[in-house]
Amino acid sequence: MTLRVLALTCTLKPSPAKSSSDLIARQLLGLFAERGATGELVRVVDHDVRPGVEADMGDGDAWPGIRRKIAAADVLLIATPTWVGHMSSVAQRVLERLDAELSETDDEGRPAMFGKVGVAAVVGNEDGAHKIIADLFQALNDVGFTVPAQGATYWNGEAMQGGDYQDLDETPEAVASTNATLVRNAVHLADLLRAQQYPAK
């Protein structure tokens, strides 16, 4: 079966505005496609994802539809900008909504997200990427995702200067190399987990 990748872009900019988070997520999905995986991108801010920690926060909540896409995916990519040193409020909301998965289990009693791979991409023209990645990975691990070796990529602009990732003429070599490693290791890990799920007991 073909591996499925879902990218949740957590930019604060609704479509069709250009977004650096969207750009790096699409670049990663392109690399996943080169390895035979199918990908889908959801710009979360385009959907009415309600605040809360339940799987469904009631009439009009768009999270249940996104949640179904996560359930169907083998790899979840969260791409977020850096705002005042932190992940975006949209990314934080995604983590809060994923909290509901702690009470969801499969037929053998394992947490529902066991067997899925979680990776991250962070862009911004200020410091904060390492802290954001640490927070994302801790939350994803708590919920049951598995993080591959070097499963994150990021770009930070020069300190105290303007400019965004999307303004670059080309992807820096270090970022391109890190992107490729993220995808290679995520596909490898997802294949392993698909072949042999975590034990239930």
Side-chain angles (χ1 to χ4, degrees), residues 9-48:
T9 299
C10 297
T11 176
L12 298 181
K13 301 174 183 175
S15 298
K18 291 183 177 180
S19 159
S20 292
S21 300
D22 189 84
L23 173 60
I24 198 168
R26 291 184 184 278
Q27 290 174 339
L28 290 166
L29 287 179
L31 293 173
F32 275 111
E34 290 177 8
R35 292 185 172 271
T38 61
E40 180 179 1
L41 186 144
V42 173
R43 191 181 289 207
V44 179
V45 76
D46 290 341
H47 305 272
D48 185 11

Side-chain angles (χ1 to χ4, degrees), residues 70-152:
I70 295 172
D74 300 289
V75 179
L76 175 65
L77 162 66
I78 297 180
T80 178
T82 304
W83 284 107
V84 291
H86 300 276
M87 71 181 78
S88 72
S89 58
V90 177
Q92 181 64 40
R93 180 159 297 183
V94 165
L95 297 183
E96 290 163 355
R97 296 306 302 270
L98 281 171
D99 184 77
E101 302 309 316
L102 290 169
S103 60
E104 300 294 326
T105 58
D106 65 14
D107 293 339
E108 296 188 45
R110 290 175 292 231
M113 297 298 116
F114 270 29
K116 297 184 184 299
V117 173
V119 292
V122 180
V123 291
N125 51 21
E126 58 180 302
D127 289 343
H130 279 180
K131 175 62 162 57
I132 291 169
I133 291 166
D135 289 344
L136 285 171
F137 280 174
Q138 179 62 55
L140 290 173
N141 182 261
D142 281 350
V143 174
F145 288 87
T146 302
V147 175
Q150 297 185 346

Side-chain angles (χ1 to χ4, degrees), residues 128-194:
H130 279 180
K131 175 62 162 57
I132 291 169
I133 291 166
D135 289 344
L136 285 171
F137 280 174
Q138 179 62 55
L140 290 173
N141 182 261
D142 281 350
V143 174
F145 288 87
T146 302
V147 175
Q150 297 185 346
T153 187
Y154 69 93
W155 176 84
N156 275 355
E158 185 179 355
M160 308 296 287
Q161 303 295 319
D164 293 316
Y165 184 70
Q166 63 184 340
D167 300 327
L168 301 178
D169 293 330
E170 60 183 3
T171 303
E173 182 178 348
V175 177
S177 175
T178 304
N179 289 354
T181 299
L182 180 159
V183 169
R184 182 170 61 249
N185 290 353
V187 168
H188 176 71
L189 179 58
D191 282 336
L192 292 175
L193 291 172
R194 176 180 278 184

